[in-house]
Amino acid sequence: SNSVIIPSIGKPKLAYISPLPPERSGISDYSAEILRHLSAYYDIEIIVDQDEVTDAWINENYKKRTVSWFNDNANNFDRIVFHFGNSPFHKHMFNLLERFPGVVVLHDFFLYDVYRWMDDVHYSHNISLIDVIYKSHGFKAVKEYLNNEDSLSKYPLNINIIENSVGIIGHSNYLSKLLEQWYGKNSLEDFALVPFLKEAAPKIIRNEAKGTLNIESDCFVICSFGFIDNVKLNIELLNAFLNSKLSLNEKCFLFFVGENQGGDYGINIANIIRESGLENRIRITGYVEPMVYKQYLSASDMAIQLRRFSKGETSAAVFDCMSFGIPTIVSTNGSIGEIPKDCAFFLPEKFDDKTLVNTIEKLYDNKELRHILGKKAREFVNERHNPQYCAKQYFNTIEKFYSRKPVNMYDVITAVSEINGSERVSDAELMNLSCSIAQDFPSKKISKQILVDISSIINVDLKTGIERVTKNILKELIDNPPEGFSVEPVYAIEDESGYRYARKFTLKFFDYTNGGLTDDIVEVRAGDIFLGLDFSPHSVIKQKDYLLAMRRSGVRIYFIVYDILPILMPEVFPPGTDIWFGDWLKTIMCFDGAMCISKTVSLDLKKWIDYNVINSVKLPFYINWFHLGHDIKNLGCQEILSKNQNGLLSKLSRGHTFLMVGTIEPRKGHLQVLDAFNLLWEEGFEFNLIFIGQEGWKPLDDEYRRTIPEIVKTIRENSELNKRLFWFEGVDDGYLEKIYQSSSCIIAASYGEGFGLPLIEAASKNLPIIARDIPVFREVAGEHAYYFNGLNPEDLADAVKKWVKIYGAGGHPKSKNIKVLTWKESASNLVSVLLNQYESQ
């Protein structure tokens, strides 16, 4: 509806925050125009961060207030309106908007220039550039920026503006498309389109205007308005003019009405003009005062306004040209494409030099076409963009936004405090209580979160299987977040209820140590996902009540299950492991589901649930599986090896060398493998055996380490140690790669595994496999490994001899046929099964 909403009692009191003349900003001039018409609806005071305002009408009619004054008096206003653009003129607004939410008129969608400027000059706005990037676009954008600062230009960096606003006003449908593209359809709920206000131009007599500029009346004047920059294609325009017949005509002029860029681009265009010899007819005016600017508009016979990349802005210069009835050539970019096709001469978004030359000459030759385009443009602006109509739309939109102003966090805190019955609420109590009432408070947060629990590796990274999986999956989730979600690593708060964002850890994960982010208390909202990626059983059990509150607030909660071996074979784990592990399984049953790292683990888990979980579990528990990955790295093996290392590699390559990779643990089968090779050596076989892996469970007393002390003693006391038996507790990547290349076969003798990463690593290097015949190894390797059964040394010794025989004939199973996923593919599969269930529940 176009009807005006009339306030019942007086005019609402409005704080208007925008740069104003004489600031050299198009938004300054725009605000000076609209303020003349908004006064019909509001009692306005202007808030400025500049030494003076030179517009006489504004000075006569409005009180001017400083930012400091507004900080102390903001609550006296009924409405607040901010005009945001991508320049330092708006530097003071970011903190104000965070403290005092208001309606935002978003003139530029991309704001990286102003944020980068604030960072470069160390402008104090209580937020680092890293924090801005992170909050707007997540850790993926942070990582890209740390690797390449130029990547910043592809990100809008405006989420703080959008989420802190009461509503967003834009001047084009293109801006709404950018909102939807970056933040989804939900972001459009608080967006409204208001036409770009433009005062009607005075009656124009072009010959008189040319005389004012000392240009002969019969000269043909082409102007391009605005700051000179590569995105404006000014050099392309200059070259097109020089290559056109107009350059040969002494009566044809080209003016760039605006300030030249101070960098290489500005130097380049100035040099081209000088070398052309046409400096008397091609000029860069530099910045001109508003009155002179209007003189050039009045004198123009043709305008050319080009752009190669839109930041979501509406071109005031194009509307100026249309208002003055100037036939204008434009490139179809961003919001320009929304102008009626009969009001300007449109070039495609991508055009070549010849097309531009032909267009300039065509419009120059066709006086009638120029007249029609100018007349239509002026009529369109006067009808659809006239100040009275636009001011009315501003008023209706601002009032609509304020009629449904969302509850802010202060209101939530107050409500929680009242529920808790105390004046002071701790962070943990606040978050725990707010989880259960969050659904009662509308949220301005746009993207949903995947909260990735890494509570274990944030404290201790043992660099074993689960830690490797956690770090690799986490990296891929950050690099490739699912559409509509931000990936947020989190960790449980020790001795308290709740979780914190693991921001400091994540920056270190990117090898960035300069800080810039804080580990705030996690804020959750309906639609979020909590993913227990790390194996953190004790923290999950302790946080059960908090996680249940989180679940009640609409968060879906899933856990990665790596295996349930402590339940299935407790004898190969420290005593009591099966008890607390069972408690963890029963705890996660209270939530939404488990993502297992193999089909075998998923079947084991289902069987355990059938036998151990009471049928009265309220929630359906979803179980699915995915496979782990492995990224094949070409290490190049360029490092210089010692004489002893080279000697060993030479020895390994001359005979059959068998390799076991993995931590020394009771379930890995080291004792059987060692005893089997003792038998083989006694029979005279010149086989080599290499163990690569650290001694496990070192922090525990020996009485809790099961067979580990026996394994270690047996290795170290073996007469073949460092002759045909070798144990490396740690080797660097280059040497490890050489050992792989010198080995004949890998042995996977585990009694139980959740997946079996050594099989994948062997397959990635085409290394043959001898594996114990257990379901998970069959699942991973299929028919591409040689399997053995039995627990006696003789069983494995016989299998090795048979394998050597068929290997010699080339008939052994080929591991290269095993399907090896990258970690990127593995993480993608995890996300797929996770979101499939999330969307169906």
Side-chain angles (χ1 to χ4, degrees):
S1 170
N2 293 331
S3 60
V4 179
I5 303 170
I6 302 298
S8 56
I9 303 175
K11 297 177 182 177
K13 192 172 179 64
L14 170 69
Y16 190 95
I17 306 174
S18 171
L20 292 167
E23 301 288 38
R24 295 183 178 183
S25 161
I27 297 173
S28 300
D29 299 330
Y30 181 85
S31 283
E33 289 187 13
I34 194 172
L35 280 168
R36 287 166 165 74
H37 303 279
L38 277 181
S39 59
Y41 306 99
Y42 291 109
D43 177 10
I44 300 174
E45 295 188 21
I46 60 175
I47 316 300
V48 292
D49 184 36
Q50 55 193 81
D51 294 334
E52 62 172 344
V53 174
T54 55
D55 187 287
W57 190 91
I58 292 175
N59 287 329
E60 277 185 31
N61 289 277
Y62 292 132
K63 293 178 181 177
K64 298 184 296 296
R65 305 293 192 181
T66 65
V67 171
S68 176
W69 179 91
F70 182 71
N71 271 306
D72 295 332
N73 296 275
N75 292 330
N76 295 331
F77 290 92
D78 303 305
R79 310 284 185 262
I80 305 173
V81 171
F82 295 84
H83 284 260
F84 267 94
N86 188 30
S87 75
F89 298 116
H90 306 269
K91 60 187 182 300
H92 57 292
M93 298 183 188
F94 295 89
N95 280 344
L96 289 181
L97 178 64
E98 188 171 349
R99 291 193 62 195
F100 311 111
V103 172
V104 168
V105 184
L106 196 58
H107 291 265
D108 294 302
F109 189 77
F110 287 78
L111 302 177
Y112 54 81
D113 284 336
V114 59
Y115 274 120
R116 177 169 270 173
W117 177 89
M118 289 191 288
D119 189 65
D120 287 344
V121 303
H122 306 292
Y123 180 79
S124 177
H125 59 295
N126 301 327
I127 185 169
S128 69
L129 180 58
I130 293 293
D131 200 26
V132 172
I133 299 169
Y134 160 71
K135 288 183 176 177
S136 286
H137 305 291
F139 279 117
K140 178 183 180 182
V142 171
K143 185 177 179 181
E144 289 182 5
Y145 171 72
L146 295 177
N147 291 330
N148 176 16
E149 291 189 5
D150 290 338
S151 69
L152 194 62
S153 62
K154 72 180 184 181
Y155 290 106
L157 299 189
N158 59 15
I159 199 70
N160 286 341
I161 309 303
I162 293 166
E163 291 186 343
N164 288 328
S165 70
V166 174
I168 298 290
I169 290 176
H171 299 309
S172 69
N173 286 314
Y174 179 68
L175 194 142
S176 69
K177 291 176 182 177
L178 287 173
L179 270 172
E180 183 176 354
Q181 172 190 328
W182 281 94
Y183 307 118
K185 289 185 178 180
N186 290 343
S187 64
L188 301 180
E189 293 178 3
D190 293 316
F191 172 81
L193 180 64
V194 172
F196 186 83
L197 180 147
K198 179 50 58 183
E199 295 273 7
K203 185 177 180 180
I204 299 165
I205 304 176
R206 298 207 186 279
N207 291 343
E208 290 184 4
K210 289 176 182 177
T212 308
L213 296 171
N214 295 319
I215 302 170
E216 295 179 10
S217 60
D218 60 342
C219 288
F220 190 85
V221 176
I222 300 175
C223 287
S224 180
F225 297 91
F227 184 77
I228 292 175
D229 191 78
N230 64 331
V231 298
K232 304 287 187 67
L233 301 172
N234 301 106
I235 289 180
E236 284 80 354
L237 168 56
L238 173 58
N239 287 330
F241 181 84
L242 292 174
N243 290 324
S244 73
K245 64 183 181 181
L246 281 73
S247 65
L248 305 176
N249 187 334
E250 293 293 330
K251 295 291 186 178
C252 291
F253 287 74
L254 173 62
F255 295 106
F256 293 96
V257 184
E259 190 171 356
N260 194 9
Q261 188 203 60
D264 292 340
Y265 191 85
I267 294 172
N268 193 11
I269 192 171
N271 288 338
I272 295 173
I273 293 173
R274 185 175 61 255
E275 292 168 4
S276 72
L278 299 180
E279 290 177 278
N280 61 324
R281 293 196 287 120
I282 304 175
R283 302 175 199 164
I284 298 173
T285 67
Y287 175 78
V288 295
E289 296 295 331
M291 182 177 295
V292 178
Y293 178 79
K294 290 179 180 179
Q295 288 172 354
Y296 276 100
L297 285 167
S298 300
S300 296
D301 296 290
M302 182 196 304
I304 304 176
Q305 302 296 132
L306 307 175
R307 176 175 281 275
R308 80 168 86 241
F309 173 69
S310 172
K311 298 175 184 177
E313 72 290 316
T314 297
S315 175
V318 170
F319 277 97
D320 287 334
C321 294
M322 294 173 67
S323 176
F324 275 74
I326 307 171
T328 306
I329 297 172
V330 297
S331 50
T332 309
N333 183 278
S335 63
I336 296 299
E338 298 171 31
I339 296 171
K341 300 306 177 188
D342 60 352
C343 293
F345 198 107
F346 286 85
L347 292 171
E349 186 168 7
K350 295 181 179 179
F351 56 86
D352 56 29
D353 295 340
K354 185 177 180 180
T355 300
L356 181 56
V357 171
N358 291 341
T359 302
I360 293 172
E361 291 181 345
K362 178 179 179 179
L363 205 54
Y364 171 73
D365 290 335
N366 195 331
K367 183 176 181 180
E368 182 179 355
L369 177 59
R370 296 202 306 272
H371 173 75
I372 293 172
L373 288 176
K375 182 173 181 293
K376 290 282 188 181
R378 186 178 176 104
E379 289 173 352
F380 171 74
V381 170
N382 290 345
E383 178 183 345
R384 294 292 300 164
H385 297 268
N386 73 77
Q388 293 76 21
Y389 173 78
C390 293
K392 182 168 63 175
Q393 297 308 306
Y394 266 106
F395 175 74
N396 284 346
T397 301
I398 293 168
E399 295 308 302
K400 180 185 73 173
F401 283 145
Y402 268 92
S403 70
R404 53 187 180 87
K405 180 180 178 182
V407 178
N408 61 30
M409 192 59 188
Y410 175 80
D411 299 320
V412 176
I413 293 173
T414 302
V416 172
S417 298
E418 291 174 354
I419 293 172
N420 200 44
S422 65
E423 295 183 2
R424 176 71 180 95
V425 182
S426 71
D427 286 340
E429 289 175 315
L430 170 62
M431 292 311 302
N432 197 15
L433 286 166
S434 65
C435 277
S436 62
I437 66 168
Q439 60 267 38
D440 296 329
F441 295 88
S443 172
K444 283 280 288 181
K445 299 292 183 182
I446 292 173
S447 66
K448 298 184 285 291
Q449 304 173 104
I450 297 182
L451 304 167
V452 182
D453 184 11
I454 55 168
S455 295
S456 288
I457 65 166
I458 200 169
N459 295 314
V460 180
D461 182 5
L462 298 176
K463 296 181 171 61
T464 55
I466 291 178
E467 288 81 8
R468 287 165 57 203
V469 173
T470 298
K471 288 185 290 185
N472 280 294
I473 293 290
L474 177 63
K475 173 187 176 297
E476 296 302 334
L477 290 177
I478 288 173
D479 288 348
N480 303 283
E483 185 175 352
F485 287 90
S486 63
V487 173
E488 302 289 350
V490 301
Y491 63 94
I493 304 172
E494 290 187 21
D495 304 321
E496 286 189 50
S497 176
Y499 286 78
R500 287 187 179 275
Y501 292 106
R503 294 166 179 162
K504 294 179 180 178
F505 170 88
T506 308
L507 287 181
K508 290 180 181 178
F509 192 53
F510 300 156
D511 296 322
Y512 181 76
T513 56
N514 291 338
L517 299 179
T518 57
D519 288 0
D520 298 331
I521 297 285
V522 166
E523 293 182 36
V524 300
R525 50 195 177 272
D528 287 349
I529 294 174
F530 179 95
L531 176 64
L533 175 62
D534 208 351
F535 182 56
S536 309
H538 300 296
S539 69
V540 169
I541 293 169
K542 288 171 61 177
Q543 298 288 349
K544 178 180 176 181
D545 289 342
Y546 180 88
L547 291 169
L548 286 171
M550 190 186 288
R551 179 66 180 75
R552 289 193 296 272
S553 71
V555 178
R556 299 289 171 77
I557 300 178
Y558 305 91
F559 294 88
I560 304 295
V561 175
Y562 292 91
D563 60 63
I564 63 167
L565 297 177
I567 300 293
L568 300 179
M569 44 183 68
E571 69 279 2
V572 295
F573 290 89
T577 301
D578 56 327
I579 296 174
W580 59 255
F581 193 91
D583 291 341
W584 173 71
L585 284 178
K586 290 175 182 176
T587 300
I588 70 172
M589 292 301 111
C590 299
F591 301 102
D592 292 283
M595 306 295 150
C596 303
I597 63 170
S598 64
K599 185 176 182 180
T600 300
V601 174
S602 72
L603 295 174
D604 289 341
L605 181 59
K606 288 175 183 177
K607 289 178 184 177
W608 182 86
I609 292 174
D610 290 341
Y611 283 107
N612 293 276
V613 178
I614 301 173
N615 292 330
S616 61
V617 173
K618 295 180 181 179
L619 291 174
F621 192 77
Y622 169 75
I623 299 175
N624 210 323
W625 58 274
F626 68 105
H627 276 176
L628 301 183
H630 171 74
D631 280 334
I632 302 170
K633 297 178 181 177
N634 181 10
L635 299 176
C637 303
Q638 297 296 319
E639 72 176 87
I640 299 174
L641 302 180
S642 69
K643 183 177 180 180
N644 288 339
Q645 288 174 324
N646 277 315
L648 174 59
L649 293 172
S650 178
K651 173 181 172 59
L652 297 178
S653 62
R654 288 197 297 268
H656 289 300
T657 296
F658 296 86
L659 181 64
M660 279 190 73
V661 180
T663 306
I664 305 294
E665 291 183 29
R667 68 185 171 93
K668 300 291 186 178
H670 289 88
L671 280 178
Q672 184 187 10
V673 173
L674 189 54
D675 289 344
F677 273 79
N678 282 331
L679 292 176
L680 292 167
W681 291 326
E682 288 174 5
E683 292 182 36
F685 289 99
E686 294 292 327
F687 297 153
N688 299 308
L689 176 63
I690 301 177
F691 293 149
I692 295 179
Q694 296 183 357
E695 179 182 346
W697 310 356
K698 282 185 176 181
L700 301 180
D701 293 337
D702 280 356
E703 61 183 300
Y704 295 105
R705 298 207 297 154
R706 302 290 191 182
T707 60
I708 293 177
E710 180 186 355
I711 298 170
V712 172
K713 181 180 179 183
T714 303
I715 295 172
R716 288 178 175 163
E717 294 181 355
N718 194 288
S719 61
E720 295 292 336
L721 185 62
N722 297 325
K723 298 175 184 176
R724 287 183 289 194
L725 171 64
F726 304 90
W727 178 23
F728 299 101
E729 291 195 68
V731 293
D732 54 53
D733 286 342
Y735 192 37
L736 176 60
E737 184 78 3
K738 288 286 191 181
I739 292 173
Y740 268 115
Q741 291 176 0
S742 300
S743 298
S744 310
C745 180
I746 194 167
I747 296 177
S750 293
Y751 305 123
E753 290 283 353
F755 182 71
L757 275 176
L759 304 185
I760 297 299
E761 292 174 349
S764 73
K765 303 173 188 304
N766 295 332
L767 191 63
I769 300 167
I770 296 176
R772 190 181 301 280
D773 195 356
I774 57 176
V776 72
F777 286 170
R778 287 279 183 180
E779 177 185 341
V780 172
E783 60 186 18
H784 310 301
Y786 184 85
Y787 295 97
F788 74 95
N789 288 289
L791 303 176
N792 295 319
E794 295 82 2
D795 299 324
L796 178 56
D798 289 343
V800 171
K801 287 186 285 187
K802 292 176 181 177
W803 179 86
V804 169
K805 185 176 181 179
I806 62 173
Y807 176 75
H812 64 288
K814 309 298 191 298
S815 67
K816 67 179 182 180
N817 295 318
I818 296 174
K819 181 171 177 55
V820 178
L821 300 177
T822 64
W823 282 114
K824 181 177 181 179
E825 291 169 327
S826 175
S828 177
N829 290 343
L830 167 61
V831 168
S832 179
V833 295
L834 179 68
L835 294 186
N836 181 61
Q837 182 58 30
Y838 168 84
E839 292 165 0
S840 64
Q841 282 183 312

